[in-house]
Amino acid sequence: MDHVLGCATSLVTCQKVFEGPLLNSLVSINQGLRMYIIEDKGGAIALMLASLLFLGTWPAVLTLLERRGRLPQHTYLDYSITNLLAAVLIALTFGELGDSKPNMPNFFTQLSQDNWPSVLFAMAGGVVLSIGNLSTQYAWAYVGLSVTEVISSSMVVVIGTTLNYFLDDRINRAEILFPGVACFLVAVILGSAVHASNAADNEEKLSGSTNNYKLGENGSVEPSKDVIQKDAPKDLENGASPNKYVVKAEAGTAEYLIELEERRSIKVFGSSTFIGLGIVFFSGVCFSLFSPAFNLATNDQWHTLKEGVPHLVVYTAFFYFSISCFVIGIGLNILFLYRPMAGVPKSSFRAYLNDWEGRQWALLAGFLCGFGNGFQFMGGQAAGYAAADAVQALPLVSTFWGILLFGEYRKSSRKTYILLGFMLFMFIIAVAVLMASSGHRSTK
């Protein structure tokens, strides 16, 4: 906690640095350009749909890298760089284009204003989001991509959406919003049933395997040594993952499940179910808080700003939000290089710099997450953050990628397929209902 508070204090200090001649020069250069604000409901919904696609895709990219053996510390460091860059690009483009609105100064002007209470709310949102994202990177390995997203999204809907409804002064229609929340909860129950059924299918596959793989005590695996690529690099300092294996088995078979365990960077066979679920629920709490914190940063419902000081525009708030997200993500993962968790191999900063395998995908994931969050906040500013939380239906997208890329539910039972179909149908209903509840925020 002391480290987090120290980071927050440093960020506030950084804000004051912008108050000198450099900022005045930038303001004069950009005084002819003004920010672009989304105000109509149609534009807000379009942004939320784009956000849904982006936020449902980047977890699949990071999961793919983990399954290929890339260390999660290396991946998250790359991801953090482009995640911040996306916020900077949004601030310098959308935040400086279009017509000026009353009490809505442009991005550079706000950097010098006395708006530190709102800045702290934005940074607090970035802190909890960064910790939540970091946690889910391990939860995807323990619990699976689809189920992790379903549980964490449900917690956002139940906790975060409810908080946003009251913070937004009920601009969303409750008679539509809360039935949408109920649909989400039904989908969560179905998602849990899918996971239980698929886990039972996998256990049956493993117990019925006829090759030279065998299960040890407590469900752990004693793998065949033949699947290991003998000339795979072993030294992390050379930037190569120590877990490179040749995948020969067909997706959905017992052999595929075991070979996946052998090559991935986070080993999960034989681990307690409660470890994975505990990580998922922790990340769900973090995700539930970041959107309300951002809501407070841009709308000042608690009246923390001095009289006459304009609210943070969404682009400025997102800039500070992403800076704190970047600081926490970089700091924790540099620590995890030397003190890894979840049985991940120890690494070093030099090893990270030399590890180019899959780096382009990690950088892409950072862009997708950054623009996805930015579009969600831009849509929420116009239509209400409770309606913008409809993007928490991202398990729709994640499940699609999980089936297409990772062969999830391949060769599963008929019961699993039926439950999966009902879950996806209920998520579609939930997205439609939550978006239909969107209101219109006054910009007076």
Side-chain angles (χ1 to χ4, degrees):
M1 182 59 70
D2 291 338
H3 294 296
V4 173
L5 292 176
C7 291
T9 302
S10 299
L11 290 169
V12 174
T13 303
C14 289
Q15 181 198 14
K16 296 181 179 179
V17 173
F18 286 103
E19 298 180 3
L22 175 60
L23 176 63
N24 294 331
S25 300
L26 291 172
V27 170
S28 60
I29 291 173
N30 289 276
Q31 61 185 0
L33 299 173
R34 300 301 180 190
M35 69 187 158
Y36 177 70
I37 298 293
I38 301 295
E39 294 184 11
D40 63 288
K41 182 177 177 179
I45 291 178
L47 284 175
M48 287 187 279
L49 287 174
S51 176
L52 174 63
L53 175 63
F54 291 171
L55 293 179
T57 299
W58 77 267
V61 176
L62 294 195
T63 300
L64 179 64
L65 292 176
E66 185 276 323
R67 284 173 169 236
R68 289 180 174 179
R70 194 168 197 251
L71 296 183
Q73 309 98 303
H74 294 186
T75 298
Y76 204 90
L77 286 169
D78 289 335
Y79 153 90
S80 297
I81 295 171
T82 48
N83 187 55
L84 175 63
L85 182 57
V88 174
L89 291 175
I90 288 176
L92 295 180
T93 54
F94 291 107
E96 290 291 309
L97 298 177
D99 296 328
S100 179
K101 300 294 181 181
N103 297 320
M104 288 188 180
N106 64 14
F107 169 66
F108 284 110
T109 300
Q110 284 214 307
L111 293 179
S112 63
Q113 293 177 339
D114 186 14
N115 47 28
W116 68 266
S118 293
V119 169
L120 288 179
F121 277 124
M123 292 192 301
V127 169
V128 292
L129 177 67
S130 182
I131 295 175
N133 282 341
L134 181 58
S135 301
T136 55
Q137 191 176 15
Y138 293 87
W140 295 326
Y142 281 100
V143 182
L145 179 62
S146 301
V147 175
T148 297
E149 298 303 315
V150 164
I151 294 177
S152 60
S153 292
S154 70
M155 296 183 67
V156 170
V157 171
V158 174
I159 302 174
T161 302
T162 302
L163 289 174
N164 278 325
Y165 172 73
F166 291 103
L167 287 174
D168 282 337
D169 198 22
R170 300 176 175 87
I171 70 172
N172 300 96
R173 289 174 284 176
E175 68 275 13
I176 300 179
L177 175 64
F178 288 106
V181 173
C183 290
F184 231 125
L185 291 177
V186 172
V188 168
I189 296 173
L190 290 172
S192 301
V194 170
H195 172 58
S197 179
N198 191 58
D201 293 342
N202 289 340
E203 184 176 345
E204 184 177 353
K205 293 173 187 176
L206 291 171
S207 62
S209 178
T210 57
N211 62 8
N212 57 349
Y213 298 104
K214 59 180 180 178
L215 291 177
E217 297 181 359
N218 301 321
S220 60
V221 173
E222 299 176 11
S224 168
K225 302 300 182 183
D226 296 334
V227 298
I228 301 179
Q229 189 174 339
K230 294 183 179 179
D231 29 321
K234 304 296 182 181
D235 186 7
L236 280 177
E237 289 295 322
N238 292 327
S241 169
N243 298 312
K244 291 190 176 180
Y245 301 90
V246 177
V247 181
K248 301 177 182 179
E250 182 182 359
T253 63
E255 290 77 11
Y256 175 83
L257 296 175
I258 296 174
E259 289 182 1
L260 171 62
E261 173 70 9
E262 291 175 339
R263 74 174 183 273
R264 71 187 318 164
S265 59
I266 303 175
K267 307 301 182 183
V268 298
F269 276 16
S271 61
S272 171
T273 303
F274 295 104
I275 294 178
L277 289 177
I279 297 174
V280 173
F281 282 113
F282 174 75
S283 64
V285 172
C286 293
F287 290 147
S288 300
L289 298 177
F290 87 85
S291 181
F294 194 92
N295 195 349
L296 287 167
T298 55
N299 295 299
D300 192 35
Q301 292 93 335
W302 292 351
H303 307 291
T304 56
L305 293 176
K306 295 179 181 179
E307 186 176 356
V309 177
H311 296 172
L312 282 185
V313 296
V314 64
Y315 310 109
T316 309
F318 186 49
F319 174 74
Y320 285 114
F321 172 94
S322 299
I323 286 182
S324 64
C325 195
F326 173 81
V327 170
I328 296 299
I330 292 292
L332 288 178
N333 278 279
I334 289 179
L335 174 65
F336 291 158
L337 286 175
Y338 300 94
R339 296 188 177 183
M341 56 184 292
V344 175
K346 183 180 293 188
S347 182
S348 68
F349 193 73
R350 178 184 174 187
Y352 158 69
L353 294 177
N354 291 330
D355 183 10
W356 286 92
E357 184 175 355
R359 172 160 287 164
Q360 70 276 16
W361 294 108
L363 296 174
L364 173 63
F367 274 123
L368 290 174
C369 184
F371 281 107
N373 284 326
F375 290 166
Q376 178 188 5
F377 296 145
M378 290 164 65
Q381 185 65 17
Y385 286 94
D389 280 338
V391 301
Q392 296 308 323
L394 57 89
L396 276 172
V397 181
S398 296
T399 299
F400 171 80
W401 290 121
I403 294 173
L404 183 66
L405 293 178
F406 311 135
E408 287 185 349
Y409 313 114
R410 191 77 57 86
K411 296 184 180 297
S412 293
S413 65
R414 182 179 180 183
K415 175 184 176 182
T416 299
Y417 289 141
I418 293 175
L419 290 170
L420 178 63
F422 277 115
M423 182 195 75
L424 296 178
F425 174 76
M426 191 55 63
F427 265 113
I428 293 173
I429 297 298
V431 175
V433 172
L434 261 66
M435 286 191 170
S437 76
S438 62
H440 180 78
R441 187 187 305 279
S442 173
T443 57
K444 295 187 297 183

